[in-house]
């Protein structure tokens, strides 16, 4: 048996399996990046929050109003400088300006609007028909591919059933295998 004095020396050796608690704590401190926060500092940091819904709402409203003001200023600037080349002219061309009492010109303008509406409807209908036609063609192609796939699967299934047929003693039926080989040879010739 070992004496108590020998046991203490064994613990202090570097090659022993036991580690000192001080070394473990120092390693943990190194791994964690220092001592860390004190309990008071941690509690104070947790209690201070910057979340205030009223302030957030105020800020949002402020930015919203600022956006409206900038839009208004741009409009005013545009109205004050109509000849500025950076802004397009809003005024209608001179040939479309009509006298106040001229009903015929007004009637023609309404007719032009109706014609333009009809032409827009025609364009819409034409475009819709083209899209529908393209969709129908795509569906037909997909349907054809499905039919081909089903047909090839049924052929493979029938061939597999023939190839897996066995006699009573468990031997494969050679009739179907020979037919298959003959078909392959004839297919390769032509």
């Amino acid at each position: 048996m070992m004496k108590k004095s020998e046991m203490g020396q064994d613990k202090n050796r570097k090659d022993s399996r036991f580690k000192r608690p001080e070394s473990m704590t120092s390693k943990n401190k190194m791994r964690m990046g220092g001592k860390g926060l004190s309990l008071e500092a941690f509690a104070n940091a947790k209690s201070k929050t910057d979340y205030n819904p009223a302030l957030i709402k105020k800020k949002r409203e402020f930015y919203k109003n600022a956006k409206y003001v900038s839009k208004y200023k741009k409009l005013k600037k545009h109205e004050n400088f109509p000849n500025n080349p950076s802004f397009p002219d809003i005024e209608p061309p001179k040939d479309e300006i009509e006298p106040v009492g001229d009903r015929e010109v007004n009637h023609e303008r309404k007719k032009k609007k109706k014609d333009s509406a009809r032409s827009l409807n025609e364009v819409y209908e034409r475009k819709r028909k083209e899209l529908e036609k393209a969709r129908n063609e795509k569906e037909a192609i997909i349907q054809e591919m499905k039919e081909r796939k089903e047909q090839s699967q049924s052929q493979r299934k029938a061939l597999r059933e023939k190839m897996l047929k066995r006699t009573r003693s468990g031997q494969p039926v050679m009739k179907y295998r020979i037919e298959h080989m003959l078909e392959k040879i004839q297919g390769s010739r032509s």
Side-chain angles (χ1 to χ4, degrees):
M1 284 194 89
M2 287 174 34
K3 294 180 183 176
K4 288 184 180 180
S5 62
E6 290 176 5
M7 289 177 112
Q9 290 174 355
D10 202 25
K11 278 188 179 179
N12 292 334
R13 279 193 210 153
K14 288 185 178 179
D15 60 348
S16 72
R17 287 191 278 167
F18 300 108
K19 292 184 180 178
R20 283 189 275 163
E22 297 104 32
S23 66
M24 289 176 71
T25 54
S26 64
K27 281 186 180 178
N28 282 341
K29 284 180 186 175
M30 293 283 287
R31 184 171 51 85
M32 298 299 277
K35 272 188 159 183
L37 292 174
S38 67
L39 186 60
E40 291 174 26
F42 179 74
N44 288 337
K46 287 292 268 188
S47 65
K48 293 177 185 173
T49 58
D50 292 338
Y51 179 72
N52 188 348
L55 286 176
I56 293 171
K57 191 175 180 182
K58 270 187 182 179
K59 284 182 184 177
R60 192 179 297 148
E61 192 173 349
F62 174 77
Y63 287 120
K64 192 176 179 183
N65 290 338
K67 191 166 67 172
Y68 288 141
V69 167
S70 66
K71 281 186 181 180
Y72 176 76
K73 285 181 180 178
K74 282 182 185 176
L75 272 173
K76 278 294 186 184
K77 188 176 182 182
H78 177 65
E79 287 175 4
N80 290 340
F81 303 106
N83 296 331
N84 193 345
S86 62
F87 296 108
D89 287 336
I90 301 175
E91 297 177 19
K94 291 180 181 177
D95 58 336
E96 289 185 16
I97 296 174
E98 61 178 86
V100 177
D102 197 2
R103 293 179 185 252
E104 292 177 9
V105 175
N106 197 11
H107 180 69
E108 288 178 16
R109 184 181 287 168
K110 284 184 182 178
K111 194 174 185 180
K112 282 183 183 179
K113 282 185 182 178
K114 285 182 183 178
D115 290 343
S116 65
R118 281 185 196 150
S119 64
L120 284 175
N121 282 338
E122 289 171 3
V123 169
Y124 169 74
E125 288 292 325
R126 194 178 326 124
K127 201 166 203 173
R128 191 178 59 80
K129 285 179 183 178
E130 289 174 3
L131 290 173
E132 190 174 326
K133 185 179 178 183
R135 187 170 44 85
N136 289 340
E137 289 175 359
K138 194 174 183 180
E139 286 177 0
I141 291 170
I142 291 171
Q143 186 68 26
E144 186 180 332
M145 289 176 69
K146 281 184 183 177
E147 289 173 2
R148 282 189 203 162
K149 190 175 182 180
E150 289 174 2
Q151 187 180 8
S152 63
Q153 282 179 347
S154 64
Q155 287 176 351
R156 281 198 300 270
K157 190 174 181 182
L159 180 65
R160 186 172 182 272
E161 286 177 6
K162 287 181 183 179
M163 291 295 196
L164 291 176
K165 283 194 176 181
R166 307 258 171 196
T167 60
R168 283 186 203 163
S169 58
Q171 298 296 317
V173 178
M174 293 306 290
K175 172 183 168 184
Y176 300 114
R177 293 175 181 247
I178 293 171
E179 283 178 3
H180 181 66
M181 284 189 245
L182 182 65
E183 287 174 7
K184 275 190 173 180
I185 293 168
Q186 288 175 346
S188 65
R189 278 187 186 174
S190 57

